[in-house]
Amino acid sequence: MLRVELLSSTGREYLLSGTQAQSPVLSEEGALVELRGQVSRSDLARPGRPGVIAGRQNYGPIEVDIPFYLHADTGEELERVYREFRQGWRGVSTFRVDADHPLSPLYLDVTTGVLPGVSVDARRRTMVALSVPVFSQEGLFRTSVQYGTGTVTVTNSGDVAVFPKIVATAGGKVTCPSGASFSLPAGASTVDMSPEGLMLEGAFPEGVEPGKSGTWVVPAGARLEWVLQVADPWA
């Protein structure tokens, strides 16, 4: 199974893996093969011995040019499709991939730099190609937001550590997987458990490594939210 959609920043949706009857914008064959996590490793040489000591995998941003195929029955209609498609890249767009991955559907948020200039008068054509340089600073596909209340177990079947957020409408005690606990502030609050996002005195970052599980206990009026991230959304 393979279904790939592009959700533009203006709210328009294109079925890139469809047919001409289903979508005015399609991706060319093989156009999406590089739309995946870009991994590097921090391996260490083994002095005097063959091979390396395997290091941690790191994922950088995704930067790739993707050619799109735009079509319509008339030149006037293609001019509109072409204009709307270009306008849709002024903000954050999202690829939605529904493939054979067990976590499907998976999402990738992307932006673009300056698009190539217009090379043809779309009103004189019924088909035109446009290559878009897409950029994902996150560099990984994500699931939709998952959440739970009370005692919540997060099982990480993704490729990188998961750091949940706690969204609360009132204060209360939170117990983390390590057994450490802290108090939520009174009133509405959001507590990000990641090292770069946690800004609550008395709380320490905690996450769940790939292949592991962790259990949080959150008070009434609060819920735990998280997403899983994967490098390869296709299988």
Side-chain angles (χ1 to χ4, degrees), residues 145-150 152-154 164-167 174 191 193 214-218 222-226:
V145 176
Q146 304 179 47
Y147 62 89
T149 58
V152 188
T153 298
V154 177
K165 293 181 180 180
I166 301 165
V167 181
V174 174
V191 177
M193 296 302 299
T215 299
W216 275 262
V217 181
V218 297
R223 69 179 186 180
L224 195 75
E225 296 183 352
W226 71 96

Side-chain angles (χ1 to χ4, degrees), residues 161-227:
V162 174
F163 293 96
K165 293 181 180 180
I166 301 165
V167 181
T169 58
K173 178 182 176 182
V174 174
T175 302
C176 300
S178 66
S181 62
F182 63 89
S183 295
L184 295 171
S189 64
T190 298
V191 177
D192 185 343
M193 296 302 299
S194 68
E196 68 274 15
L198 186 58
M199 302 182 68
L200 180 64
E201 185 176 356
F204 297 92
E206 285 204 32
V208 181
E209 293 295 325
K212 305 293 184 179
S213 295
T215 299
W216 275 262
V217 181
V218 297
R223 69 179 186 180
L224 195 75
E225 296 183 352
W226 71 96
V227 297

Side-chain angles (χ1 to χ4, degrees), residues 14-26 69 71-73 77:
Y14 304 104
L15 180 58
L16 301 180
S17 59
T19 65
Q20 290 192 15
Q22 294 174 309
S23 174
V25 178
L26 304 172
Y69 165 76
H71 67 92
D73 293 331
E77 184 182 355

Side-chain angles (χ1 to χ4, degrees), residues 30-222:
L32 303 177
V33 294
E34 294 302 322
L35 203 62
R36 54 183 173 80
Q38 306 298 315
V39 66
S40 62
R41 302 179 63 96
S42 53
D43 298 337
L44 297 175
R46 303 172 68 184
R49 301 180 61 187
V52 297
I53 300 172
R56 190 180 185 90
Q57 289 187 334
N58 297 302
Y59 295 96
I62 296 175
E63 295 183 84
V64 62
D65 287 353
I66 298 181
F68 295 95
Y69 165 76
L70 289 67
H71 67 92
D73 293 331
T74 67
E76 289 79 7
E77 184 182 355
L78 180 62
E79 183 182 37
R80 175 186 58 81
V81 170
Y82 190 66
R83 179 178 62 252
E84 292 173 349
F85 183 69
R86 292 184 68 100
Q87 291 173 346
W89 289 101
R90 292 178 178 172
V92 177
S93 296
T94 302
F95 287 96
R96 182 184 189 272
V97 176
D98 204 341
D100 294 326
H101 197 287
L103 294 176
S104 288
L106 292 162
Y107 302 85
L108 181 71
D109 298 324
V110 297
T111 57
T112 185
V114 179
L115 293 176
V118 177
S119 59
V120 298
D121 183 353
R123 291 171 295 179
R124 299 178 182 271
R125 304 287 185 92
T126 57
M127 182 276 291
V128 67
L130 178 63
S131 182
V132 177
V134 303
F135 174 77
S136 167
Q137 64 178 19
E138 197 69 29
L140 293 169
F141 284 76
R142 58 173 172 81
T143 63
S144 56
V145 176
Q146 304 179 47
Y147 62 89
T149 58
T151 300
V152 188
T153 298
V154 177
T155 300
N156 187 359
S157 53
D159 293 325
V160 295
V162 174
F163 293 96
K165 293 181 180 180
I166 301 165
V167 181
T169 58
K173 178 182 176 182
V174 174
T175 302
C176 300
S178 66
S181 62
F182 63 89
S183 295
L184 295 171
S189 64
T190 298
V191 177
D192 185 343
M193 296 302 299
S194 68
E196 68 274 15
L198 186 58
M199 302 182 68
L200 180 64
E201 185 176 356
F204 297 92
E206 285 204 32
V208 181
E209 293 295 325
K212 305 293 184 179
S213 295
T215 299
W216 275 262
V217 181
V218 297

